[in-house]
Amino acid sequence: MKIELKKLVLDRPGGIRAVDGISCVFDSDACSAMAVLGVNGAGKSTLLESIPGLVPIRSGAILVNGLNVEPKNLTAIRRQIGMIFQNSDDQLFSQTVREDVAFGPRNLKLPPDEVRDRVRSALEQMNVSRLAERDVTRLSGGEKRRVALAGVLAMRPAAILLDEPTSMLDPRACRELAEHLNELPTLKIIATHDLTFAKRACPECLILQTGKIIAQGKTAELLDRHDLLLSCGLE
Ligand SMILES: Nc1ncnc2c1ncn2[C@@H]1O[C@H](COP(=O)(O)OP(=O)(O)O)[C@@H](O)[C@H]1O
Ligand SMILES: [Mg+2]
């Protein structure tokens, strides 16, 4: 899976330039997990949301396995990309955990047996099988996050975009989430300002500041550079 951003410019309502000419490549053959780091307002969410076509492109281009992100390709592109939003409450809406995880595969019009198998394996993978019959609104933050991820995994996407996945998680849940993600061979792009989590889950990272990439490279190396972290407000 390969996602390419070419001189990408994205504006938010009110003319705010959230992403200001970014070029980069996310390629699962080169690096299976890339962190997108930056302080609040740096443009991380806007960047992530633009990949499945949720933010209009002002100029430049996004290519998903060679397909241009534009209206006529969005169905094909969204089939390959799963997104975990910052707030899991925006993502979970069925009555039970099982129903919620089944929603995506059913939407793909898969046969019922296949839906059942995928739901079972996604619940197992995220370690939430015991929650299958629970009400999604009555789960802890960490449980909701894992259920949301199970719902995305059940779609078998080629890439997963995660927006601030550790917000609302306690330290142990953060560590477990990083371990779960490390076991997934799928391409992951993870927006976060949680540097400990980024080090655990992402071998490489890029750092955004006011919509521009100011540094890119190995996470362990970049996050050792205190001058850099200070200058971009990450420490
Ligand atoms: N829905 C929106 N309407 C208007 N401006 C927005 C909206 N979402 C984000 N922005 C603005 O776009 C810029 C980038 O925000 P965002 O992508 O959310 O950054 P991050 O995820 O790094 O905190 C900020 O200046 C923010 O205020
Ligand atoms: Mg954000």
Side-chain angles (χ1 to χ4, degrees):
M1 174 53 129
K2 190 169 171 182
I3 297 173
E4 289 173 86
L5 312 184
K6 294 184 171 177
K7 296 185 182 163
L8 185 65
V9 176
L10 305 167
D11 288 345
R12 283 299 200 176
I16 294 161
R17 182 132 304 176
V19 166
D20 193 5
I22 285 185
S23 297
C24 67
V25 179
F26 304 100
D27 184 348
S28 56
D29 288 340
C31 173
S32 81
M34 179 88 102
V36 176
L37 302 171
V39 294
N40 292 332
K44 306 181 295 294
S45 297
T46 308
L47 177 64
L48 247 55
E49 288 168 15
S50 70
I51 296 172
L54 301 174
V55 178
I57 295 175
R58 171 81 199 196
S59 67
I62 307 173
L63 294 171
V64 175
N65 273 344
L67 266 186
N68 224 325
V69 173
E70 58 181 317
K72 72 178 169 67
N73 294 331
L74 288 187
T75 308
I77 286 171
R78 287 178 186 167
R79 210 158 264 198
Q80 302 176 60
I81 293 176
M83 179 134 186
I84 304 286
F85 291 92
Q86 178 162 0
N87 185 350
S88 299
D89 291 330
D90 295 343
Q91 190 140 20
L92 304 172
F93 45 82
S94 302
Q95 189 90 60
T96 66
V97 167
R98 187 187 303 283
E99 285 298 302
D100 212 282
V101 176
F103 178 83
R106 277 202 195 115
N107 222 17
L108 293 175
K109 310 245 179 328
L110 297 167
D113 281 358
E114 169 86 14
V115 172
R116 211 171 310 127
D117 284 352
R118 284 195 183 199
V119 170
R120 192 186 330 109
S121 89
L123 291 173
E124 276 171 15
Q125 226 176 328
M126 287 320 297
N127 221 346
V128 286
S129 305
R130 71 196 157 77
L131 304 177
E133 310 313 328
R134 292 270 299 273
D135 179 340
V136 288
T137 60
R138 287 162 193 271
L139 300 174
S140 74
E143 289 167 343
K144 282 182 183 169
R145 197 55 52 95
R146 294 221 294 272
V147 169
L149 199 46
V152 165
L153 292 178
M155 314 267 290
R156 309 257 160 102
I160 303 178
L161 316 179
L162 299 103
D163 196 355
E164 307 276 5
T166 60
S167 64
M168 302 194 306
L169 299 191
D170 61 37
R172 177 181 291 175
C174 289
R175 184 172 47 72
E176 288 175 353
L177 181 64
E179 287 164 5
H180 286 305
L181 292 173
N182 285 334
E183 284 167 14
L184 288 181
T186 317
L187 176 65
K188 286 145 283 174
I189 306 175
I190 305 179
T192 185
H193 49 72
D194 180 340
L195 304 184
T196 309
F197 180 75
K199 273 188 207 163
R200 283 192 179 128
C202 304
E204 292 188 23
C205 71
L206 50 86
I207 301 180
L208 294 190
Q209 191 170 32
T210 53
K212 292 189 165 79
I213 296 178
I214 56 154
Q216 187 169 4
K218 300 231 178 303
T219 311
E221 286 170 19
L222 283 192
L223 298 190
D224 258 355
R225 286 178 48 194
H226 286 273
D227 55 329
L228 175 67
L229 298 183
L230 270 177
S231 77
C232 61
L234 282 169
E235 203 180 71

